[in-house]
Amino acid sequence: MALTWGEWPKLVGMDQVFAQYPWLDGGGYSVAVVDKGIDFLHPRLGGDPATGTVSPRVVNIWDWEDNDNYPFPDTSEKVDVSTAHATGVAGILAMLPWTNPVDGKHYQGILQNPDSLLYNLRTSSTNSQNTIRDALQWVVDNHAKYHITAVNLTDFIGTNALTPVYDAQVKALWDAGIFVATPVANDWLGDSKKGIPPKEPIGLPASSPYVFGTGGVLKNGTINPKTQRGPGLDLLGPSSGVSLPYYTPSKDEHIWTNGGEGNSWGTPHTLGTAVLIQQIDPTITPAQIMQILQDSGTPVVDPDGTGTYKSLNMLAAIQLAYQRRDDAADQGAGNDDLAHASRISLNGNRGSASNLKLLIHDHDDYTFTVSEAGHYRISTLDGVSLLDADGNVIGTTAAGGLSQDLAAGTYYLDVYNARRSLAGTYSISIVGPGAVGDPAAPGNAGTFNAIKYDQNDVLHFVWYEGSSKTLKYATRNPSKAWSSVTTIDGAADAGNFVSMDLDSVGRPGVAYYDASNADLKYAHFNGTSWDVETVDSTNTVGYYPSLKYDSSDHPVIAYYYKTGHDLRFASKSAGGWTITTVDSAGDVGRYPSLAANPASGVWSIAYEATGVGAFKYAQKKKGGWGIATVDDNGAGGGFVSLAYDESNLPSFSYYDAMNADLKFARSNGSVWSTATIAAKNSQGLYTNLFYDGGKPVIYFFNKTNNSLNAARSSGAHGWAFENLATGGGREDRVALNGDGFETFSWFDAGSGDLKVGDL
């Protein structure tokens, strides 16, 4: 049954956006509402005032008016309707679908994804500027953690200062790609009662270069006479007769009005559209969003002669975003189907395409022609379909690629993601017979790997080469010139789960799993060649080894005994290897991370207890090991990385499979605490933890975005996040040189090789 939409949704094209782009729903992108407090019990937001049930769409942060964590508008709307201001903003952004029983008109919020949350920050009426600053600082500190990508800011008091007290905060948000919008004042005509003369210039926050000012347009398409105009007015939006969830408990039948007036209501319309554009392309900047909104907007000439402004057209904005934000291959006729597939030419049985973008719910199709039958390797995103000349699916990429025998003929690749755009770019690499990548290149066809700097800032790099199934090694000097590639262990399929450390003179040792014999092996470079030996050969043993050297240059290895489901510990001395069991309580020991307390030299291991879905910490004690359960999340997850801080206290990063989150556990010497560092989507695999200036840093893989990221703690201000590489990120490792500069390795899905980068 077709919906009969309300007037404003039809005027701005909201109805057509939902009809033509039903997958655009906010996608888990969240908004901070800095205002007078949202009525989070409102039924149209999913709350229930009778039972005190809080809307699942509203997250209450802080109330600077009452100095508590209950940011609720505490004055009745019947006394002061402006107290419902933030509730009106929330309704435009996230109201549940609702049809007016009186006139049959349909309304709903722009962001319908239940994971697109509104963070409720209530400022003080007596200290507005400082509390706006504090609210924005909270967003600066937490936007990455909670995936906040936009801020609806309303300043009811204003300031005459040339530079606002929150200038640093809005600049930080701008630099972080957060879209901040605010309404301009409703006093273009002046206000004699308040001593405001007509046609005053727009002030803060809208005059800030880091904040977009929105004004009002009437239903007839003309500018609202009350709207301030001039520099600082970036866009016009609905401002008269706007439907708002002004809930009055005594009149449940009138929980909606159609009389919302003022520039405030154009702001959430603009902001909600901006978030949908962010969903289309997560890499877009605030300035680029506003350019799309303006270029797609409807021109409105100011009768007072200040110029021509643009009025929001949601449908045209979304259409322009898709056109403007896609890659070069998808311009013009596009490559959205096989008939318009972009060609990848194979030269010597090798071809590639790079700098490609994948927008939400958009097909990218490519074609290539095989002239020589044989075995081909296609490296690109996971889930890409390989089709024959008739359009039949004959293979699908996984773990970054697909290997398949192909006859001579025409083939297609269909790249598609129904629910999320790729943050960044991707590439496609096709390698056929006689065109295998250069085996002399460090990291070629690599998967498992390790990197580490010695005291002379020489980078040591070891990796398992998938094409030859052997363990390789190379070094890079301080001038970043690579040595030739050598083979550590030429035995077939030896080198899985490799771990490396350097002894006191900077010579590398590696522990790894020999898949052919199901053994744990160890190799050490003696200065001219590698000495290789088997450490443990009990059934299937040696998964996930973690190697360190003790103060006497004796190698020590923690590893998983797969057959027995135990965590084992091997140490070497003049008498050979000594093997002990650390933990055998069920299925325990996957992803062990070994470290020694810098002060005492005592060994400790953080690891996954798969059988009970938990993470444990073991510390060596006289006569055995002391074991503690740190996080009993019920699903485990793995990818553990253990390190000691400057106070010689242990901590470790890990992947929480129950929630698909990156987590961090820290001990104060007696008690462990855990924290979620990155939530939303699936992220936190392949973690690498180290300390920089006393603060933890975690490298990790964001599976949803197929990217390598870093989370850096800023102490009391939370965590800052960096995107280090796109189109891959599995098997990431990190090493610090003598000056503390970071070098990292990762698996690049496009090339099918390991890459090494530097910060």
Side-chain angles (χ1 to χ4, degrees):
M1 179 179 177
L3 297 173
T4 302
W5 285 80
E7 193 169 6
W8 269 118
K10 290 193 294 185
L11 287 172
V12 298
M14 184 191 303
D15 59 333
Q16 291 303 306
V17 169
F18 289 125
Q20 298 181 34
Y21 303 89
W23 54 88
L24 293 180
D25 57 5
Y29 294 70
S30 295
V31 174
V33 179
V34 180
D35 206 301
K36 289 188 175 184
I38 301 170
D39 178 354
F40 44 80
L41 304 178
H42 198 293
R44 293 276 34 94
L45 297 175
D48 187 341
T51 62
T53 301
V54 175
S55 163
R57 300 296 301 279
V58 179
V59 181
N60 293 320
I61 301 302
W62 193 251
D63 185 336
W64 282 270
E65 180 74 24
D66 297 332
N67 289 315
D68 58 30
N69 60 358
Y70 196 82
F72 194 87
D74 53 10
T75 303
S76 169
E77 298 168 15
K78 290 191 277 187
V79 176
D80 180 6
V81 72
S82 71
T83 63
H85 189 278
T87 309
V89 169
I92 294 170
L93 289 172
M95 186 194 73
L96 298 174
W98 179 78
T99 300
N100 191 323
V102 177
D103 60 13
K105 298 295 178 63
H106 179 80
Y107 303 88
Q108 65 185 60
I110 297 172
L111 311 178
Q112 286 294 300
N113 191 301
D115 290 330
S116 292
L117 305 178
L118 306 181
Y119 287 82
N120 188 13
L121 300 131
R122 186 186 184 208
T123 56
S124 169
S125 60
T126 58
N127 189 15
S128 67
Q129 301 306 291
N130 288 325
T131 56
I132 287 174
R133 176 200 61 203
D134 294 344
L136 294 175
Q137 184 61 51
W138 183 89
V139 182
V140 171
D141 296 339
N142 293 280
H143 69 87
K145 180 178 181 180
Y146 298 117
H147 208 202
I148 299 170
T149 59
V151 179
N152 200 108
L153 168 63
T154 309
D155 181 358
F156 296 91
I157 307 299
T159 177
N160 293 322
L162 295 178
T163 302
V165 297
Y166 48 77
D167 186 65
Q169 285 72 31
V170 290
K171 184 180 186 303
L173 293 171
W174 176 272
D175 292 341
I178 310 301
F179 188 94
V180 183
T182 191
V184 300
N186 294 294
D187 55 18
W188 182 249
L189 302 178
D191 189 333
S192 58
K193 293 182 180 179
K194 296 181 180 179
I196 300 174
K199 300 186 180 181
E200 284 288 283
I202 293 172
L204 294 165
S207 62
S208 167
Y210 313 116
V211 179
F212 295 113
T214 68
V217 67
L218 302 178
K219 291 180 179 179
N220 62 8
T222 62
I223 193 168
N224 192 317
K226 295 181 179 180
T227 294
Q228 266 191 311
R229 53 207 76 171
L233 176 57
D234 296 292
L235 198 73
L236 302 173
S239 69
S240 180
V242 180
S243 296
L244 302 170
Y246 276 12
Y247 172 63
T248 305
S250 63
K251 296 183 178 180
D252 289 347
E253 72 276 20
H254 298 303
I255 64 172
W256 271 81
T257 70
N258 292 310
E261 302 290 328
N263 298 319
S264 291
W265 314 124
T267 306
H269 279 93
T270 299
L271 200 83
T273 308
V275 173
L276 298 187
I277 294 174
Q278 289 172 329
Q279 189 182 0
I280 293 172
D281 182 5
T283 68
I284 196 168
T285 67
Q288 291 167 336
I289 294 173
M290 180 51 69
Q291 195 64 60
I292 287 174
L293 294 174
Q294 291 174 338
D295 290 349
S296 62
T298 303
V300 179
V301 178
D302 177 19
D304 286 357
T306 64
T308 299
Y309 303 93
K310 292 296 185 69
S311 174
L312 175 67
N313 184 324
M314 287 183 63
L315 177 61
I318 297 304
Q319 292 171 334
L320 183 59
Y322 265 105
Q323 174 188 335
R324 186 170 290 178
R325 299 306 298 176
D326 216 330
D327 55 55
D330 210 6
Q331 301 301 313
N335 61 351
D336 294 342
D337 54 45
L338 299 187
H340 297 90
S342 299
R343 177 162 294 279
I344 299 176
S345 299
L346 301 190
N347 184 9
N349 294 339
R350 184 174 193 139
S352 63
S354 60
N355 202 33
L356 308 174
K357 300 184 72 171
L358 180 59
L359 304 184
I360 183 173
H361 214 273
D362 185 32
H363 285 270
D364 289 350
D365 289 315
Y366 299 88
T367 184
F368 62 97
T369 300
V370 169
S371 57
E372 180 183 354
H375 191 74
Y376 282 76
R377 168 74 180 178
I378 300 169
S379 300
T380 187
L381 302 172
D382 290 356
V384 174
S385 297
L386 172 65
L387 301 90
D388 63 18
D390 296 322
N392 301 307
V393 176
I394 58 174
T396 304
T397 59
L402 169 68
S403 293
Q404 189 142 335
D405 291 327
L406 299 179
T410 298
Y411 296 89
Y412 296 93
L413 292 171
D414 178 56
V415 188
Y416 175 66
N417 191 337
R419 295 302 303 165
R420 182 167 295 278
S421 295
L422 181 68
T425 60
Y426 71 98
S427 58
I428 297 172
S429 173
I430 304 169
V431 178
V436 178
D438 182 7
N444 174 72
T447 53
F448 307 105
N449 72 102
I451 56 174
K452 198 170 185 70
Y453 277 105
D454 65 21
Q455 57 266 51
N456 298 315
D457 278 349
V458 172
L459 181 70
H460 298 257
F461 183 29
V462 59
W463 69 98
Y464 176 72
E465 187 182 83
S467 56
S468 64
K469 295 187 177 182
T470 56
L471 190 58
K472 301 292 186 179
Y473 170 77
T475 60
R476 192 184 74 175
N477 67 24
S479 299
K480 299 187 178 180
W482 286 98
S483 71
S484 59
V485 174
T486 60
T487 300
I488 296 175
D489 189 339
D493 215 9
N496 292 248
F497 308 116
V498 64
S499 174
M500 177 174 62
D501 197 17
L502 306 180
D503 63 20
S504 60
V505 295
R507 291 177 178 173
V510 293
Y512 53 97
Y513 177 65
D514 179 345
S516 293
N517 298 295
D519 295 341
L520 171 65
K521 297 180 80 171
Y522 166 77
H524 179 256
F525 186 64
N526 61 24
T528 57
S529 62
W530 290 87
D531 298 319
V532 179
E533 59 186 305
T534 298
V535 178
D536 194 345
S537 59
T538 310
N539 301 315
T540 300
V541 67
Y543 275 35
Y544 316 108
S546 180
L547 168 70
K548 299 291 181 185
Y549 284 97
D550 66 17
S551 57
S552 300
D553 274 349
H554 295 143
V556 179
I557 310 171
Y559 58 101
Y560 177 60
Y561 173 32
K562 186 176 185 295
T563 300
H565 305 300
D566 300 336
L567 173 62
R568 285 189 169 184
F569 180 85
S571 59
K572 187 179 183 182
S573 61
W577 289 94
T578 300
I579 298 172
T580 58
T581 297
V582 178
D583 191 352
S584 59
D587 188 354
V588 292
R590 284 183 173 89
Y591 301 100
S593 182
L594 175 69
N597 187 307
S600 65
V602 172
W603 292 108
S604 58
I605 309 169
Y607 57 101
E608 180 191 30
T610 309
V612 294
F615 291 87
K616 289 185 171 184
Y617 173 78
Q619 181 172 299
K620 201 171 192 313
K621 296 184 176 181
K622 187 176 181 180
W625 292 81
I627 297 174
T629 297
V630 176
D631 189 350
D632 187 7
N633 70 348
F639 303 104
V640 181
S641 181
L642 172 66
Y644 280 83
D645 65 17
E646 291 187 340
S647 300
N648 300 319
L649 295 172
S651 56
F652 63 90
S653 56
Y654 57 105
Y655 174 65
D656 175 2
M658 176 65 74
N659 301 294
D661 294 342
L662 169 66
K663 296 189 76 173
F664 177 63
R666 195 167 197 168
S667 172
N668 64 5
S670 57
V671 178
W672 284 88
S673 61
T674 64
T676 299
I677 306 306
K680 306 289 184 185
N681 308 317
S682 179
Q683 51 186 329
L685 298 88
Y686 302 97
T687 75
N688 292 263
L689 169 67
F690 62 93
Y691 280 84
D692 180 14
K695 294 183 174 61
V697 180
I698 306 171
Y699 276 49
F700 63 95
F701 176 60
N702 185 321
K703 182 179 179 182
T704 300
N705 292 335
N706 195 31
S707 63
L708 173 61
N709 296 78
R712 300 179 187 275
S713 173
S714 53
H717 299 298
W719 294 75
F721 293 81
E722 296 175 68
N723 188 309
L724 302 174
T726 58
R730 290 178 171 85
E731 300 294 344
D732 60 286
R733 303 291 186 270
V734 62
L736 276 65
N737 69 9
D739 295 321
F741 291 106
E742 298 161 24
T743 294
F744 52 95
S745 58
W746 77 101
F747 179 79
D748 177 71
S751 65
D753 302 328
L754 291 169
K755 300 293 186 181
V756 176
D758 301 279
L759 285 184

